[in-house]
């Protein structure tokens, strides 16, 4: 269960847009979106960025975005492999369609939350 995020009463979430880790999270969302067009290699680059910079954003409001992006990558990869393996059985096409929609949903939801200065929930 995600932890609720504490925002001091006098802090506006939109003021958070200036934090340096935010730009990395934006970059990773873009790389994840581009992975649909370049065969997934940019998604791999994005998750590498997440792992390399995770310590830099630890205990900030951006850390949940990094974890969201990492989880999106690994679950997406797992179900993409399952879909590819089962395409000869026809069901794989539905798995690939479903995981594509799910990944797009996660990218959009995460990017919108990042834009609002909030954690994705």
């Amino acid at each position: 269960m995600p932890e609720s995020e504490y925002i001091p009463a006098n802090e506006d979430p939109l003021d958070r847009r200036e934090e340096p880790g935010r730009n990395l999270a934006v970059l990773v969302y873009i790389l994840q979106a581009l992975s649909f067009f370049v065969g997934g290699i940019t998604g791999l680059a994005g998750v590498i960025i997440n792992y390399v910079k995770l310590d830099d954003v630890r205990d900030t409001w951006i850390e949940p975005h990094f974890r969201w992006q990492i989880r999106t990558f690994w679950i997406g990869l797992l179900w993409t492999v399952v879909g590819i393996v089962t395409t000869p059985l026809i069901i794989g096409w539905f798995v690939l369609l479903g995981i594509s929609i799910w990944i797009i949903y996660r990218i959009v939801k995460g990017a919108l939350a990042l834009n609002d200065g909030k954690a994705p929930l």
Side-chain angles (χ1 to χ4, degrees), residues 23-98:
N23 292 336
L24 285 174
V26 168
L27 174 65
V28 173
Y29 282 123
I30 291 169
L31 290 172
Q32 286 180 333
L34 287 175
S35 69
F36 281 97
F37 304 104
V38 293
I41 194 72
T42 58
L44 178 62
V47 81
I48 290 170
I49 291 170
N50 285 139
Y51 280 118
V52 168
K53 293 300 208 173
L54 188 58
D55 286 338
D56 294 347
V57 298
R58 193 163 314 277
D59 297 326
T60 68
W61 71 276
I62 297 170
E63 183 182 7
H65 284 277
F66 273 47
R67 298 208 178 279
W68 178 268
Q69 292 166 335
I70 290 169
R71 197 170 298 123
T72 299
F73 174 82
W74 286 114
I75 294 171
L77 179 63
L78 170 70
W79 283 102
T80 299
V81 170
V82 169
I84 289 170
V85 168
T86 58
T87 51
L89 304 174
I90 308 301
I91 187 81
W93 295 106
F94 295 105
V95 171
L96 290 173
L97 176 64

